[in-house]
Amino acid sequence: MSTPRIERLKADLFKDKREISLERALLYTESHKQTEGQHTLVRRALATAHILDNVEISIRSDELIAGNRTVKPRAGIMSPEMDPYWLDKELDIFDTRPQDQFHISEEDKKIYREELLPYWTKRSMKDFINSQFPEEIKAATAQKIFSVNQTDKGQGHIIIDFERLLGNGLGALLDELKEHSVKNPDNAFFSAVVTLLEASIRHIRRYETLAREMANTCGDDVRAKELLQIAALSAKIATEKPEDFFEAIQLFWYMNVILQYESNASSLSLGRFDQYMLPFYRASVAKGESPEALKEYLESLWVKTNDVVLLRSTGSAKFFAGFPTGYTILLGGLTANGRSAVNELSTLCLDAYQSIRLPQPNLGVRVNELIDREFLRKTAETVRMGTGIPQIFNDEVVVPAFLNRGVSLEDARDYSVVGCVELSIPGKTYGLHDIAMFNLLKVMELVLDRNKDNTEVTFDQLLSEIRQDIRHYVKLMAEGSNICDIGHRDWAPVPLLSSFISDCIDNGKDITYGGARYNFSGVQGIGIANLSDSLASLKAFVFDEKRATFKEFIEVLESNFEGEKGEQIRARLMNRYDKYGNDIDGVDTYGSDILRFYCKEVEQYTNPRGGIFTPGSYTVSAHVPLGAVVGATPDGRHSGDQLADGGLSPMVGKDQKGPTAVLKSVSKLDNYLLSNGSLLNVKFTPSTLEGEQGLNKLADFLRAFMKLKLQHIQFNVLNADTLREAQQRPEDFAGLVVRVAGYSAFFVELSKEIQDDIIRRTAHEL
């Protein structure tokens, strides 16, 4: 149970409508106007420093941990230097758009249109990327065969080396970078990092000053003492390394806010929190601090992670619905020498989450053959609460997957997750994890349409053409992704963040220039379940049973199963033929073969940073907008209907042989190739997990997941009736948290399309 303070902090976070703040955009632009002609790295550093020195700061009532990106809770901030155009188009609809609404004042709209838009027009990263895309890539993205993402905002999707930050402190790091800068006076990267470390120290000291001023005018002696504690702590950790848990959490959070100012990016994730924070936790315990006080610090931090929300375009919000900020943490796992890494802080992190029950942090648990039963049960107990947290990752698959990509054994054992389910090595990887999504079902649709009048077409020929088209469009996707990659290098480098990534200091390079140890580009293959079901139904209906000619069948699809005959055909397609997710080799093999082909095509390509492309299969919430651009398909799906959720999940309602059959179907995929991440959603009824028996059944199910060598799984534990009630009476269910894709969100903040998708997912029993 949370303390009254934590409950007040939670309530204050959500009591007012989300607003948009222009402050970062105005300060960034103000600096940018004064630095014409200087190196991009230096300009970015000076602009971020200008923000850190001048942005309004606050310490809100009851806060123990200082540091807010915006004065008002959960406010969105703009990055017109990335893409000023979508912001202009949406200024008048932010309040009313279907997903992720914000309020912006009429005065701020005027400022944007009269000051910011004119300056950034033809100066933005978006202008560069659009000018570089060849017509063939523009045509493919217009057809929605694939998308190139991150063209309008900071990339993010990275984990800094928190051990470097917490183990050295900013003062020592500044001294180190000053030495590098003196030895390499022409290196703009070192100069930029020095500027930003100095600005970070000044920014933290601004909180020291504010806390002292607030304490001097505070009429509450207890609160005044807390404010003086914040002041003293800020004064210390502005330059010195932390010595206990509270100090470490405070420096940790200050840096997270500062990095948000630098790039305004999603998924600046938090890595293996229970590993790098453990020495500080044990130091506090050794000093005699009570577990209750330490848990309150941790719960305060968990609440803080919900304060940062991302301002996305209407189109992007469809793909990432519900404000997934990507404050992702993985617990447990393995040590560098291959032993279980579960410790007392792993359990406390789950305990603290059980108290706050908010969408962030996006906790996950790593399982392996060495995981102890007690922690597995604690994991199952947290899953059973129904918020979709924690998600589960399998070391028995992920570690070999990274070894297959040339990652060292020790680094592979240290993996964590950025964003939703994107696999990464903390402090060592710049992976461009969400740079593109590839719509496999759209490729199938194009092949079928192209062969409509081919009277000699065979099923094997269709399969061959699907593979040929995948090969062709993967090449274009890689080319488009690399243009975006260069755009981030030339318009949006992140020198401060880079200083916390190996081996950027040794190389003297920003991550966008290839400074990191591991340089991947992650692209997702979407639609494998629908593709499997469609191919199985097509083969049976047309080529085996010969119930229609191929042309007649395509005409039925083009009519969207119109008329009585069309509905009869649709009923047969949906109900008479095998479906992926039921442990049936005949249909599962199609998905396995084509996904493997896609992965092997992807991994052939390299990026401008000297790294390779890595495949994944997860949708975030893109299964709805990607389905909207695909016509009726041979699995019986209507034109425009959603695709299967998750990435590897069966189509809604088609997994009819229980959750273990789902695991077995997914296990037939080559999960070792999906080194950028995959996603499997499973929904349970609450009643099946009740009591000790239910808890043990879920723990056993997690062990089965691990032994079957799946990569990822996550759960919703909710009744459909409860969700329908929440649709009807959202004011009564404001705190209801559900699993959307690789993240959780408040159910009432999701569009009706996404809500309906979650309701329709099959609820299993064990």
Side-chain angles (χ1 to χ4, degrees):
M1 184 66 184
S2 295
T3 64
R5 179 200 301 273
I6 298 298
E7 292 303 313
R8 291 193 299 271
L9 287 172
K10 285 173 58 178
D12 288 347
L13 206 55
F14 301 102
K15 69 181 181 182
D16 296 322
K17 188 170 183 176
R18 289 175 300 277
E19 297 186 17
I20 293 175
S21 168
L22 292 187
E23 198 172 14
R24 179 200 178 273
L26 289 168
L27 289 169
Y28 188 98
T29 304
E30 187 175 80
S31 171
H32 207 260
K33 289 177 178 178
Q34 299 169 4
T35 58
E36 294 282 352
Q38 298 189 47
H39 195 288
T40 303
L41 283 161
V42 174
R43 296 189 81 185
R44 285 278 283 181
L46 290 172
T48 304
H50 187 61
I51 295 167
L52 293 172
D53 287 340
N54 293 282
V55 70
E56 186 179 358
I57 62 173
S58 66
I59 300 172
R60 300 178 193 145
S61 298
D62 280 314
E63 284 192 326
L64 292 173
I65 301 170
N68 296 304
R69 190 182 66 167
T70 51
V71 171
K72 293 185 178 179
R74 301 187 84 210
I77 64 175
M78 292 181 169
S79 297
E81 74 272 18
M82 304 294 189
D83 180 357
Y85 307 110
W86 78 263
L87 292 164
D88 176 47
K89 291 175 183 176
E90 300 200 15
L91 283 178
D92 295 322
I93 65 167
F94 277 125
D95 268 307
T96 57
R97 63 186 192 171
Q99 184 66 62
D100 294 9
Q101 297 172 355
F102 288 87
H103 173 70
I104 182 168
S105 69
E106 291 300 319
E107 180 184 357
D108 281 351
K109 291 179 189 178
K110 187 169 186 261
I111 291 172
Y112 185 84
R113 287 180 169 138
E114 293 182 0
E115 295 183 30
L116 293 170
L117 179 62
Y119 178 77
W120 289 108
T121 296
K122 297 184 180 180
R123 280 189 173 95
S124 72
M125 183 177 76
K126 187 74 168 181
D127 290 300
F128 166 79
I129 291 172
N130 285 350
S131 71
Q132 296 299 305
F133 275 171
E135 289 304 317
E136 196 172 10
I137 291 177
K138 291 180 180 178
T141 56
Q143 283 185 285
K144 310 298 183 184
I145 298 167
F146 61 83
S147 63
V148 178
N149 305 326
Q150 317 298 345
T151 63
D152 61 354
K153 55 184 171 294
Q155 218 295 317
H157 292 85
I158 198 166
I159 305 163
I160 70 166
D161 186 347
F162 285 107
E163 289 185 17
R164 174 174 165 79
L165 169 68
L166 301 174
N168 292 279
L170 292 176
L173 295 175
L174 176 59
D175 290 341
E176 176 190 347
L177 264 297
K178 281 182 174 178
E179 286 186 25
H180 283 288
S181 188
V182 169
K183 292 177 182 176
N184 303 274
D186 296 327
N187 185 299
F189 170 68
F190 290 136
S191 173
V193 177
V194 168
T195 295
L196 285 164
L197 287 172
E198 290 175 337
S200 298
I201 291 169
R202 293 196 302 270
H203 187 70
I204 294 172
R205 284 179 171 154
R206 290 182 65 201
Y207 278 98
E208 175 198 357
T209 301
L210 176 61
R212 293 195 190 281
E213 291 172 351
M214 291 175 67
N216 290 337
T217 59
C218 181
D220 181 339
D221 290 344
V222 174
R223 182 58 180 162
K225 185 177 179 181
E226 291 173 350
L227 290 166
L228 289 173
Q229 183 183 25
I230 291 173
L233 192 152
S234 299
K236 176 182 177 181
I237 63 172
T239 54
E240 298 177 35
K241 64 182 181 181
E243 296 181 79
D244 62 22
F245 195 51
F246 192 17
E247 292 178 358
I249 283 177
Q250 182 62 85
L251 179 57
F252 166 86
W253 184 247
Y254 277 144
M255 184 51 63
N256 274 285
V257 171
I258 289 167
L259 292 174
Q260 281 287 333
Y261 287 133
E262 183 180 42
S263 64
N264 187 21
S266 68
S267 306
L268 300 176
S269 296
L270 308 182
R272 302 185 70 190
F273 186 91
D274 61 338
Q275 305 302 305
Y276 59 76
M277 280 290 187
L278 182 63
F280 302 101
Y281 176 77
R282 287 178 173 168
S284 289
V285 171
K287 288 197 306 185
E289 293 190 57
S290 71
E292 291 78 15
L294 298 178
K295 183 168 177 280
E296 187 175 39
Y297 296 152
L298 191 52
E299 289 178 14
S300 296
L301 178 62
W302 281 186
V303 173
K304 275 286 194 185
T305 61
N306 292 273
D307 188 39
V308 176
V309 297
L310 300 174
L311 181 65
R312 294 183 168 97
S313 67
T314 295
S316 183
K318 290 179 181 178
F319 283 70
F320 306 94
F323 309 103
T325 306
Y327 280 133
T328 307
I329 289 171
L330 284 200
L331 306 173
L334 298 168
T335 63
N337 62 358
R339 307 310 301 162
S340 175
V342 173
N343 58 56
E344 62 268 33
L345 188 52
S346 313
T347 300
L348 187 67
C349 286
L350 292 179
D351 283 336
Y353 181 78
Q354 288 187 19
S355 296
I356 69 145
R357 304 191 188 198
L358 293 173
Q360 300 287 327
N362 185 18
L363 292 180
V365 169
R366 287 175 48 176
V367 298
N368 50 61
E369 292 282 4
L370 301 176
I371 191 169
D372 63 86
R373 185 72 179 182
E374 183 179 355
F375 187 64
L376 194 62
R377 277 173 54 87
K378 172 63 71 173
T379 300
E381 176 185 287
T382 312
V383 167
R384 187 170 65 176
M385 296 189 319
T387 63
I389 292 175
Q391 55 184 331
I392 313 298
F393 292 86
N394 189 354
D395 292 354
E396 306 299 330
V397 176
V398 177
V399 172
F402 270 123
L403 295 176
N404 183 46
R405 301 296 178 211
V407 174
S408 73
L409 177 60
E410 291 76 14
D411 286 348
R413 286 170 173 165
D414 193 39
Y415 82 87
S416 192
V417 167
V418 296
C420 297
V421 297
E422 299 95 306
L423 303 168
S424 190
I425 309 300
K428 296 182 173 73
T429 301
Y430 179 45
L432 279 180
H433 295 281
D434 266 332
I435 197 62
M437 285 188 174
F438 191 96
N439 195 338
L440 290 162
L441 200 62
K442 187 69 178 179
V443 171
M444 182 200 73
E445 180 186 38
L446 295 175
V447 170
L448 298 186
D449 290 347
R450 189 166 65 230
N451 283 278
K452 176 182 175 180
D453 295 318
N454 181 358
T455 57
E456 304 298 322
V457 70
T458 66
F459 183 72
D460 286 343
Q461 180 187 340
L462 293 172
L463 285 180
S464 177
E465 287 193 30
I466 288 171
R467 289 189 175 92
Q468 289 172 22
D469 277 19
I470 289 173
R471 177 179 288 121
H472 172 70
Y473 287 115
V474 163
K475 181 177 183 294
L476 292 180
M477 177 177 64
E479 184 181 347
S481 298
N482 284 343
I483 290 169
C484 185
D485 200 339
I486 292 169
H488 281 272
R489 181 194 70 193
D490 292 348
W491 264 259
V494 279
L496 179 61
L497 184 149
S498 298
S499 71
F500 293 101
I501 302 293
S502 305
D503 307 310
C504 290
I505 301 299
D506 290 341
N507 294 330
K509 292 181 181 178
D510 190 270
I511 56 169
T512 61
Y513 286 69
R517 180 169 302 176
Y518 302 115
N519 290 281
F520 301 126
S521 292
V523 292
Q524 320 325 322
I526 308 299
I528 202 65
N530 300 93
L531 186 62
S532 301
D533 294 350
S534 292
L535 291 173
S537 298
L538 172 65
K539 184 175 186 297
F541 190 89
V542 174
F543 295 98
D544 294 343
E545 300 172 9
K546 302 187 186 305
R547 293 181 179 273
T549 66
F550 184 73
K551 181 174 183 177
E552 290 170 342
F553 186 71
I554 297 303
E555 288 173 347
V556 170
L557 297 182
E558 288 175 342
S559 76
N560 200 22
F561 304 107
E562 185 179 61
E564 184 177 350
K565 183 179 179 181
E567 280 303 314
Q568 289 174 350
I569 291 174
R570 180 171 182 265
R572 173 172 285 275
L573 295 173
M574 292 185 69
N575 301 316
R576 292 294 183 90
Y577 303 122
D578 295 334
K579 298 292 185 290
Y580 167 85
N582 297 288
D583 188 25
I584 301 169
D585 286 346
V587 63
D588 294 343
T589 299
Y590 291 123
S592 177
D593 289 349
I594 289 179
L595 185 60
R596 191 173 201 282
F597 180 83
Y598 168 79
C599 290
K600 299 305 287 185
E601 287 299 309
V602 164
E603 65 186 29
Q604 295 181 45
Y605 293 94
T606 58
N607 60 39
R609 292 167 286 117
I612 62 171
F613 276 73
T614 58
S617 188
Y618 56 87
T619 65
V620 197
S621 54
H623 54 286
V624 173
L626 289 179
V629 299
V630 180
T633 42
D635 56 349
R637 184 189 139 275
H638 273 129
S639 176
D641 280 358
Q642 68 167 78
L643 308 184
D645 64 87
L648 303 185
S649 306
M651 185 59 175
V652 288
K654 300 306 177 186
D655 44 340
Q656 298 176 348
K657 292 190 177 180
T660 304
V662 173
L663 295 186
K664 289 182 177 179
S665 283
V666 180
S667 73
K668 297 170 192 175
L669 305 172
D670 198 341
N671 289 281
Y672 296 102
L673 292 179
L674 298 171
S675 52
N676 194 54
S678 63
L679 197 156
L680 173 62
N681 279 320
V682 172
K683 184 176 173 182
F684 285 125
T685 61
S687 59
T688 198
L689 302 182
E690 288 178 352
E692 286 297 305
Q693 183 180 15
L695 204 59
N696 286 325
K697 285 193 293 185
L698 181 53
D700 290 340
F701 185 77
L702 292 176
R703 288 198 68 84
F705 152 82
M706 183 263 294
K707 288 182 174 295
L708 282 169
K709 301 296 190 289
L710 280 70
Q711 188 182 99
H712 167 274
I713 195 168
Q714 60 189 30
F715 304 93
N716 265 319
V717 186
L718 290 166
N719 282 317
D721 289 343
T722 301
L723 299 179
R724 292 189 187 98
E725 282 186 54
Q727 279 186 319
Q728 298 301 316
R729 294 182 287 108
E731 67 279 0
D732 294 335
F733 292 86
L736 179 62
V737 177
V738 298
R739 199 72 179 172
V740 181
Y743 62 93
S744 290
F746 290 108
F747 184 76
V748 299
E749 289 188 346
L750 299 171
S751 69
K752 189 174 185 300
E753 286 179 308
I754 302 293
Q755 289 178 344
D756 288 343
D757 163 50
I758 295 169
I759 291 170
R760 286 194 299 265
R761 295 175 191 173
T762 303
H764 290 289
E765 295 187 356
L766 284 173

